[in-house]
Amino acid sequence: MLRVELTTQLLRLRTLIAFAALAALPVVAGLATASSAGKRLNGQDGLFGAAPYSALNHAMASLEFTGPLLLPIVVAMLAAAIGSADRDWGILRYLYVAPVTRGRLLAGQLAAVVIATAAAVASVFAAGVVTGLAVFGWHPFHVVGAANLSTGAALGRVLAACGYLTLCLLGIAAIAFALGLLLPRGAEAVAVAIAFVVVASILNGQATSRGGLLHAVAVALPVHYWQDWPALFDPSAPAHLGPGAAVQLATVAIAAGVAALVLRRRDPAA
């Protein structure tokens, strides 16, 4: 089932275009900032300010730029399509009568969601590294206001950041996948998933500045923790990724449980 899902979903023209669009952003950003190579970008702090110093700096700044909204939207679109495609194409009933159990079908689809999510992150990161090598070169990872990181330390933090970001995106991917199974049409699932990302992001931005009940609601949403990973490269404070990882895992577990329940009760003729 995994091979079928990867062939029918991840190799579709729509999916390839989405990955290409994600990869294009680091390329455009690298070309736009080529004149600042080896210098702090426009006096900014953090990953954005250090982006022109090296290939890894540029790649991580690209992930920080796409992480709050663009990456979640693309991942939600792909996951919702995976959840709804079989029913939209009218082949779900044939899968049920074929020697394919609903559990095996669900496992294959969930595995495809995980691979699609990882591929989305990898497309941005790989494009950032390749563009960074061509424009800025391979140099020690620069941290604004602190000493450069050694190659080993930088790679360790990069792997941790990419892993955490992938886990965060799996939270919204699982929600979109469950919506794809639950709602009548794939387009409706994509629309609801994207609306959730946008509304939750706005709510989180308001809650951060106001606190109170709104803040209490925001911290229960997976969106609240999506931008915790840049703290791995911030010398002023330690990164606390544990709470965010726990919320993402809980979100994935709940959404996967809902998806399993929906698939188990679904009428093959629906």
Side-chain angles (χ1 to χ4, degrees), residues 109-220:
Q109 290 180 326
L110 287 174
V113 169
V114 173
I115 293 174
T117 303
V121 175
S123 64
V124 176
F125 178 76
V129 170
V130 171
T131 303
L133 281 173
V135 177
F136 307 119
W138 185 269
H139 304 289
F141 193 97
H142 185 78
V143 180
V144 175
N148 293 339
L149 297 178
S150 65
T151 300
L155 290 177
R157 299 189 192 196
V158 165
L159 288 175
C162 290
Y164 180 81
L165 178 58
T166 302
L167 178 60
C168 289
L169 293 175
L170 279 175
I172 185 58
I175 293 173
F177 174 74
L179 289 171
L181 289 173
L182 183 62
L183 297 179
R185 294 289 182 269
E188 297 171 0
V190 172
V192 173
I194 292 176
F196 172 79
V197 171
V198 174
V199 172
S201 298
I202 294 174
L203 176 64
N204 182 63
Q206 294 295 320
T208 301
S209 60
R210 295 185 180 182
L213 179 60
L214 194 61
H215 179 74
V217 173
V219 296

Side-chain angles (χ1 to χ4, degrees), residues 18 45 58 63-64 70 80-81 89 96 101 109 135 162 172 178 196-197 202-203 212 229:
D45 294 323
H58 179 65
L63 283 176
E64 186 179 18
L70 186 58
W89 294 346
Y96 282 164
T101 63
Q109 290 180 326
V135 177
C162 290
I172 185 58
F196 172 79
V197 171
I202 294 174
L203 176 64
W229 65 266

Side-chain angles (χ1 to χ4, degrees), residues 3-103:
R3 179 175 59 83
V4 172
E5 292 294 336
L6 293 178
T7 302
T8 58
Q9 293 297 329
L10 297 190
L11 296 182
R12 294 185 70 188
L13 180 60
R14 175 183 61 192
T15 304
L16 297 178
I17 290 175
F19 288 156
L22 287 175
L25 287 175
V27 176
V28 173
L31 295 176
T33 58
S35 60
S36 299
K39 298 181 292 185
R40 189 172 175 178
L41 183 62
N42 298 329
Q44 297 185 66
D45 294 323
L47 294 176
F48 290 139
Y53 279 91
S54 76
L56 279 181
N57 277 109
H58 179 65
M60 300 316 294
S62 299
L63 283 176
E64 186 179 18
F65 176 75
T66 58
L69 194 60
L70 186 58
L71 264 173
I73 287 177
V74 171
V75 166
M77 179 191 70
L78 297 177
I82 291 172
S84 64
D86 292 335
R87 189 173 72 254
D88 285 349
W89 294 346
I91 64 173
L92 191 58
R93 67 190 69 181
Y94 301 110
L95 287 176
Y96 282 164
V97 299
V100 177
T101 63
R102 300 189 187 204

